[in-house]
Amino acid sequence: NSEYRFISGEISPVVDESDKIRQLVFVFRDITEFYRLSRFLRTAMESAMFYTWYFSPAENSFTYEENFRVITGKGQNRFKTLDEFLEMVHPEDWDNLKNHHSSAGASNLKTEISSVDFRLRRNNTYEWWQRRSIIQLSREDEGFQSYVYGMDININEYKQRERELLEAKRGAEESDRLKTAFLSNMSHEIRTPLNGIVGFSSLLSDNDYTQSEKAEFSEIINSNAKMLLGLINDILDLSRIESNTIKYEERRFSLNKQVEEIITLQQRNAAEGVKIISELNVNEIFIVYDR
């Protein structure tokens, strides 16, 4: 029908009693579809980065198909045994691969697909691969013989995405833990200046205290109010940082006064017997930054 087809076949002679060929028997099969499927499979294997293999436990011998050489750049016959194949595998993964193949010699195993992840050296770097194997048991004269068929699939990109997701998950968990600890500390810290403000405010209306004492109470209330305002600003800053809308307000201020104010506020929260001191120069230092 004016179409080229792929065929395969055999030619067998028919001989008579004197071993003379009397006829030739031609048997041909149309393998066009098989050829197309094979070519499609080979293209898929090359683009998907995997190769197939066959392993005989009795002979401790591997047989690789052509794509192994294309992907690894190594000859198939160079890695006949498992130990020879392990030359390309990361040393930390040797035991996993050995355990994976050690079960192939058992005769009572069910036919099931098993897998193991390992790192294979390719282009002078290690890449993650997954070995998927199926064990076929065959009854022979002396009992059962096992044969292992499998494929190695490149999963390096999947492993990289997995690492990124794990790192993101750990980062999110750490961020959540820090935020929880921050808010817990804030709830405690806010009570300290509030108690001071409420307590000393009630003392201002008590006539039993002198004007100088009330002036001291007012100073304590003012100091605690500044502390409370600072804590609220910290909470607002955290919200701005998370929403990526924080803005810096740079202006000139005294570093000495800033440190002294911090010391004054924190000294009230310090444990008994602990004194916070500053070793700043006596001369006042001015800087331009976000206070």
Side-chain angles (χ1 to χ4, degrees):
N1 297 328
S2 300
E3 179 185 4
Y4 284 104
R5 309 287 292 183
F6 289 92
I7 61 172
S8 177
E10 295 82 27
I11 304 175
S12 302
V14 178
V15 298
D16 58 13
E17 294 178 352
S18 59
D19 290 334
K20 291 184 178 180
I21 297 176
R22 296 300 182 183
Q23 292 178 321
L24 292 175
V25 177
F26 294 80
V27 180
F28 292 106
R29 299 181 301 280
D30 187 336
I31 61 167
T32 303
E33 189 63 24
F34 172 79
Y35 177 81
R36 289 174 179 171
L37 290 174
S38 299
R39 187 169 57 179
F40 173 77
L41 178 61
R42 184 171 300 279
T43 302
M45 290 171 65
E46 292 175 358
S47 60
M49 292 290 290
F50 74 92
Y51 56 84
T52 59
W53 49 266
Y54 158 76
F55 177 68
S56 172
E59 300 175 358
N60 188 31
S61 174
F62 278 93
T63 301
Y64 301 94
E65 52 83 30
E66 174 64 17
N67 211 42
F68 175 83
R69 183 191 61 79
V70 175
I71 291 176
T72 64
K74 310 289 186 180
Q76 298 99 310
N77 296 329
R78 181 179 167 186
F79 304 98
K80 281 289 186 180
T81 67
L82 178 60
D83 288 336
E84 289 170 341
F85 179 80
L86 291 178
E87 294 176 7
M88 296 193 301
V89 176
H90 196 287
E92 293 179 1
D93 300 326
W94 288 356
D95 290 340
N96 290 337
L97 270 176
K98 288 180 179 180
N99 293 335
H100 179 77
H101 283 280
S102 63
S103 60
S107 60
N108 57 350
L109 291 174
K110 295 181 180 179
T111 302
E112 58 184 11
I113 296 177
S114 58
S115 63
V116 62
D117 296 346
F118 65 96
R119 283 159 290 183
L120 184 71
R121 188 174 66 250
R122 196 173 74 91
N123 298 328
N124 296 322
T125 185
Y126 284 105
E127 297 179 350
W128 278 102
W129 289 72
Q130 184 176 85
R131 172 156 293 189
R132 299 180 182 178
S133 310
I134 185 169
I135 302 173
Q136 298 286 350
L137 299 179
S138 176
R139 184 184 293 275
E140 298 184 358
D141 295 338
E142 299 179 357
F144 285 96
Q145 180 64 49
S146 61
Y147 300 92
V148 188
Y149 300 87
M151 65 171 59
D152 292 348
I153 305 171
N154 188 297
I155 58 170
N156 200 58
E157 186 174 348
Y158 165 77
K159 283 289 187 179
Q160 183 177 350
R161 297 293 178 268
E162 184 180 57
R163 285 194 299 270
E164 292 173 354
L165 289 173
L166 287 174
E167 291 175 1
K169 178 175 179 290
R170 283 193 292 265
E173 290 174 346
E174 179 66 9
S175 176
D176 185 64
R177 186 189 67 80
L178 291 174
K179 182 165 52 175
T180 300
F182 174 81
L183 294 176
S184 177
N185 289 335
M186 281 295 125
S187 65
H188 170 74
E189 296 293 332
I190 287 174
R191 290 190 186 96
T192 301
L194 272 179
N195 290 335
I197 293 171
V198 173
F200 285 99
S201 295
S202 63
L203 296 179
L204 289 176
S205 59
D206 193 334
N207 295 325
D208 293 338
Y209 293 98
T210 64
Q211 289 299 322
S212 61
E213 288 175 329
K214 290 182 179 181
E216 184 181 352
F217 296 161
S218 297
E219 184 180 345
I220 294 174
I221 292 172
N222 184 53
S223 176
N224 280 276
K226 288 182 178 180
M227 184 189 299
L228 181 60
L229 181 61
L231 291 171
I232 293 174
N233 285 333
D234 286 344
I235 296 174
L236 293 176
D237 283 343
L238 177 65
S239 175
R240 295 189 188 102
I241 290 172
E242 290 188 335
S243 60
N244 201 26
T245 59
I246 190 171
K247 294 182 180 179
Y248 296 100
E249 183 181 350
E250 295 184 357
R251 60 179 179 176
R252 187 173 182 268
F253 67 93
S254 170
L255 182 62
N256 301 62
K257 290 182 179 179
Q258 175 80 351
V259 173
E260 289 172 4
E261 183 178 332
I262 293 172
I263 290 176
T264 302
L265 293 175
Q266 297 302 320
Q267 186 64 62
R268 295 196 181 103
N269 297 326
E272 185 177 354
V274 174
K275 183 174 179 58
I276 305 175
I277 61 174
S278 168
E279 295 183 355
L280 277 178
N281 196 298
V282 177
N283 298 326
E284 201 163 11
I285 302 172
F286 291 90
I287 61 174
V288 177
Y289 208 70
D290 188 294
R291 185 171 178 272

